Amino acid sequence: MSKQNISLSVIKRLPKYYRYLESINEKGIIRVSSKELSEITGLTASQIRQDLNHFGCFGQQGYGYNVKELIGELSKIIGVDKSYKIVLIGYGNIGHALYQYKSFRDLGYEFEAVFDKEEFTHEELKVQKIDDLGDFLKNNKVDIGIIATPKTVAQEIADILCEGGIKGIWNFSPVDLKVKNGVVIESVHLDESLFTLTYFMNSPEDFIF
Amino acid sequence: MSKQNISLSVIKRLPKYYRYLESINEKGIIRVSSKELSEITGLTASQIRQDLNHFGCFGQQGYGYNVKELIGELSKIIGVDKSYKIVLIGYGNIGHALYQYKSFRDLGYEFEAVFDKEEFTHEELKVQKIDDLGDFLKNNKVDIGIIATPKTVAQEIADILCEGGIKGIWNFSPVDLKVKNGVVIESVHLDESLFTLTYFMNSPEDFIF
DNA sequence: TAGATTGTTAATCGATTAACAATC
DNA sequence: TAGATTGTTAATCGATTAACAATC
């Protein structure tokens, strides 16, 4: 039941469970079985039960899972029950979109500061000069750095973030960053996603989803 | 050597190969071995060779792969050698960012029209009313629909897109869309990505990447 | 109690890695 | 030719699915 040895495949499914359970909960449903979850998620009931059992015994024989309770457990497992302090680097198209995205704030992800190449003010938001990032991190405890810069400077920014004691990087630039052990990287490679779509559009015989 | 039976794992790696090869090419490097590719991508040489051999014999014993040639082959396999016509639905934060993103245009992805709840004009771009999407698709051949709407209307939009004969949907709303067979869905679930990051930030012992 | 459904072990399936003959 | 490196088969490893005893 230790957290050790849990595979990436399992972990990547946790947010999906969380999302479906939230939508079930919004409908006012109290309990759900792995079979029912299987039907709406498209995963097998067996896999759902085994995934959850990596973290604990949240169900009850003959009953299934209590929706609210399971959401609570998943929140703790994923860590969305806590709040996180963020710095955003790169206030271009994507950076701007992420900054505006309200859902993340509601979940407890708080933007502490925004940096770009040059300092400027945009609708009451003071965007700071990137040169001041290092100092800012020295004086403020920040958990997550979002990199939404051109790929040419992404690694450089990552280095500053690591040096500043950040715990995780959410990377939107199309490069694979190298960081010291202990810092977590999660990348959103939009180019790769679009290419995957493109591949399948040209391969009508491929029905592996 | 048929395209049948190629697993999703393999296909998801193709864009990565493409990206690394482009960067090697930019450095003016002519040839590359699977061993060298292994070192920069972090994948095993064996896996790289086996992945590529699903699509053809692009290498040469004792030499390796010609960088430009392999890029050309990958372009054809992925389908980035062609151009694609896009409609964007939802011109909010993310929709706006995607519309502005220059790289995609350079690669041959062309925005034919943009739709939102109400029609309006923004910096010379005429955003059309969503009610006109169906008609637009009847009169224009469109390949890809990008959904960047609130989740409440995403499935409804997907239905209109399918009805309109679209081939692929790039979905940014946090739902799993259901479409008729033959239409390809690729979703970018930002919430799931952020949750995965969050999970690992709270699990320092987990070193499975 | 009888029916339902979990938690968990065992069986199957698929993906990755290792090895090496072929050959440039 | 000798060295390097591919393409491909076989071995290993890991993830998914099936099955079922436990039990609510």
Side-chain angles (χ1 to χ4, degrees), chain B:
Chain B
M1 217 65 84
S2 145
K3 271 192 172 183
Q4 219 96 18
N5 303 327
I6 297 172
S7 78
L8 187 54
S9 327
V10 174
I11 290 154
K12 290 263 177 198
R13 281 191 293 268
L14 298 178
K16 207 168 277 288
Y17 295 141
Y18 184 84
R19 177 156 57 80
Y20 276 101
L21 285 164
E22 283 284 16
S23 85
I24 287 172
N25 187 43
E26 277 163 27
K27 285 181 194 152
I29 295 167
I30 305 298
R31 59 168 282 258
V32 69
S33 70
S34 59
K35 185 160 170 284
E36 289 163 331
L37 273 174
S38 162
E39 277 152 19
I40 57 169
T41 61
L43 305 168
T44 65
S46 193
Q47 183 168 64
I48 293 167
R49 289 203 302 279
Q50 209 175 51
D51 281 355
L52 295 174
N53 279 113
H54 280 111
F55 302 96
C57 299
F58 307 131
Q60 200 168 64
Q61 283 99 329
Y63 174 86
Y65 302 86
N66 177 287
V67 175
K68 278 206 166 66
E69 203 179 298
L70 190 51
I71 289 174
E73 294 292 348
L74 278 171
S75 306
K76 278 188 280 178
I77 293 164
I78 295 170
V80 271
D81 58 331
K82 299 178 199 150
S83 73
Y84 299 89
K85 295 193 187 300
I86 295 182
V87 288
L88 168 65
I89 297 99
Y91 199 69
N93 297 317
I94 292 171
H96 179 252
L98 293 170
Y99 183 78
Q100 299 289 338
Y101 206 52
K102 207 173 153 289
S103 320
F104 296 144
R105 286 155 192 259
D106 295 344
L107 284 162
Y109 297 85
E110 298 155 18
F111 286 89
E112 293 294 297
V114 179
F115 294 84
D116 208 311
K117 205 173 169 186
E118 299 297 337
E119 82 173 23
F120 63 90
T121 303
H122 177 247
E123 288 171 4
E124 298 187 15
L125 169 71
K126 198 176 164 247
V127 176
Q128 302 178 51
K129 197 174 161 76
I130 185 65
D131 300 359
D132 300 331
L133 174 59
D135 277 346
F136 183 89
L137 294 173
K138 250 178 224 151
N139 302 321
N140 298 270
K141 199 201 147 290
V142 177
D143 304 294
I144 299 174
I146 303 182
I147 299 183
T149 65
K151 66 178 174 192
T152 42
V153 296
Q155 182 60 58
E156 195 183 328
I157 305 286
D159 294 341
I160 301 171
L161 289 170
C162 288
E163 189 59 35
I166 220 120
K167 282 188 287 182
I169 294 176
W170 202 18
N171 171 45
F172 285 81
S173 80
V175 288
D176 294 325
L177 301 170
K178 291 195 174 66
V179 292
K180 67 180 180 193
N181 233 332
V183 175
V184 184
I185 298 272
E186 169 73 17
S187 290
V188 176
H189 286 314
L190 293 180
D191 57 335
E192 294 185 10
S193 176
L194 182 56
F195 282 8
T196 303
L197 175 68
T198 304
Y199 172 89
F200 281 114
M201 285 173 54
N202 289 286
S203 308
E205 287 86 43
D206 253 342
F207 287 128
I208 319 153
F209 300 109

Side-chain angles (χ1 to χ4, degrees), chain A:
Chain A
M1 217 65 84
S2 145
K3 270 193 172 182
Q4 218 97 18
N5 303 326
I6 297 172
S7 80
L8 188 55
S9 327
V10 174
I11 291 154
K12 290 262 176 198
R13 282 191 293 269
L14 298 179
K16 206 167 278 288
Y17 295 140
Y18 184 85
R19 177 156 57 79
Y20 277 101
L21 285 165
E22 282 284 17
S23 86
I24 288 174
N25 187 42
E26 277 163 26
K27 286 180 192 153
I29 295 167
I30 305 297
R31 61 168 281 261
V32 70
S33 70
S34 59
K35 186 159 170 285
E36 290 164 330
L37 273 174
S38 162
E39 277 153 19
I40 57 169
T41 60
L43 304 169
T44 64
S46 193
Q47 182 167 65
I48 293 167
R49 289 202 302 280
Q50 209 174 50
D51 281 355
L52 295 175
N53 279 115
H54 280 111
F55 303 96
C57 300
F58 307 130
Q60 199 168 65
Q61 282 100 328
Y63 174 85
Y65 302 87
N66 177 287
V67 176
K68 277 205 166 66
E69 202 180 297
L70 190 51
I71 289 175
E73 295 291 348
L74 278 169
S75 305
K76 278 189 278 177
I77 293 164
I78 295 170
V80 271
D81 56 333
K82 299 179 199 149
S83 73
Y84 298 90
K85 296 194 186 301
I86 295 182
V87 287
L88 168 64
I89 296 100
Y91 199 69
N93 297 316
I94 293 171
H96 179 250
L98 293 170
Y99 183 78
Q100 299 289 337
Y101 206 52
K102 205 173 154 293
S103 319
F104 296 144
R105 286 155 193 259
D106 294 344
L107 284 162
Y109 296 86
E110 298 155 18
F111 287 89
E112 293 295 295
V114 179
F115 294 84
D116 208 312
K117 206 173 169 185
E118 299 297 337
E119 81 172 24
F120 63 91
T121 303
H122 178 245
E123 288 171 3
E124 298 186 16
L125 169 70
K126 197 176 166 248
V127 176
Q128 302 178 52
K129 195 173 163 77
I130 184 65
D131 300 359
D132 300 333
L133 174 58
D135 277 347
F136 184 88
L137 294 173
K138 251 178 223 152
N139 302 320
N140 298 270
K141 200 200 147 290
V142 177
D143 303 295
I144 299 174
I146 303 182
I147 298 183
T149 65
K151 66 178 173 192
T152 43
V153 297
Q155 181 61 59
E156 195 182 328
I157 305 287
D159 294 341
I160 301 171
L161 288 170
C162 289
E163 189 59 35
I166 219 121
K167 281 189 285 181
I169 293 177
W170 203 18
N171 172 44
F172 285 81
S173 81
V175 289
D176 294 326
L177 301 171
K178 292 196 173 66
V179 292
K180 66 179 181 193
N181 232 333
V183 176
V184 183
I185 298 273
E186 169 73 18
S187 290
V188 176
H189 286 313
L190 294 179
D191 58 335
E192 294 185 11
S193 177
L194 181 57
F195 283 8
T196 304
L197 175 68
T198 304
Y199 172 90
F200 281 114
M201 285 174 55
N202 289 287
S203 308
E205 287 87 41
D206 252 344
F207 286 127
I208 320 154
F209 301 110

